[in-house]
Amino acid sequence: MTWLDGMAEAFPLMRGGGAFLVAIGLGILVGAFGSRRWRIVWLIAGAAVGILIMAVGGATKLIFAGLPSPAIWQWVVLGIAFLVEGYLVSVVVRRFPDLDSREFWMWMLFIVGAHFLILGFSHGPICALLALVCMANALVGLRIGSADFRVFWAIDGALKIGAGAAMVAVSYV
């Protein structure tokens, strides 16, 4: 028996969340190689594909096959995580109105990581670990001002792809 046994049953949102992370992570990673507009286009495309995967997978039961229904508290945690993220994004937008600034993008990465910490309660320990490494990546990016922030953007995308893939894989164990 390993720590993986029963994780999918305990965290049924993990599989769909992991699939979403892979899609948005790919969008972030590809977007890291272009301008701000390119980053935003690919970020939106990744999110749209992730939402489509979850919608189609949920409607056809492909994503959630063999999993129990999530508990109501897991849905509440998901909602709280989105509300906290939305509030923190509004704080950053007010604090850093220059949407091209390094600080703006690094704090956005940090905020997304922070909301994964909350999601760890509903999506499992891989999501919580992703939170810590994403926040650390963003903090390093804030401290190393000489490095192109797109490096940290690309690292963030790769972290999301890896964690998302792990969440999907573990959900089948």
Side-chain angles (χ1 to χ4, degrees):
M1 181 171 210
T2 70
W3 66 277
L4 299 175
D5 292 336
M7 193 177 300
E9 289 76 22
F11 302 104
L13 295 174
M14 181 172 59
R15 187 180 299 160
F20 179 83
L21 283 171
V22 170
I24 199 159
L26 285 168
I28 291 168
L29 184 60
V30 171
F33 298 101
S35 66
R36 175 177 155 252
R37 181 176 301 222
W38 182 254
R39 276 191 307 282
I40 292 171
V41 166
W42 281 102
L43 176 65
I44 292 169
V49 169
I51 290 168
L52 183 64
I53 288 169
M54 289 193 311
V56 170
T60 61
K61 306 292 185 211
L62 290 175
I63 292 232
F64 302 107
L67 296 175
S69 294
I72 189 70
W73 68 265
Q74 290 172 315
W75 291 113
V76 170
V77 167
L78 178 67
I80 290 169
F82 286 139
L83 289 173
V84 168
E85 180 185 31
Y87 171 74
L88 293 175
V89 164
S90 73
V91 169
V92 169
V93 167
R94 283 191 309 272
R95 175 78 171 90
F96 303 102
D98 178 5
L99 303 184
D100 288 324
S101 74
R102 169 188 196 76
E103 292 80 14
F104 174 82
W105 289 106
M106 290 296 96
W107 280 110
M108 289 306 226
L109 292 180
F110 185 85
I111 287 167
V112 172
H115 110 284
F116 291 147
L117 198 55
I118 298 168
L119 288 175
F121 292 102
S122 60
H123 287 67
I126 297 170
C127 192
L129 179 59
L130 174 64
L132 298 175
V133 294
C134 284
M135 291 186 315
N137 176 56
L139 289 175
V140 170
L142 282 164
R143 299 288 296 164
I144 303 176
S146 60
D148 186 343
F149 74 89
R150 291 178 298 174
V151 169
F152 301 98
W153 186 261
I155 291 168
D156 184 83
L159 291 170
K160 286 176 173 72
I161 294 166
M167 288 167 67
V168 170
V170 165
S171 74
Y172 286 103
V173 171

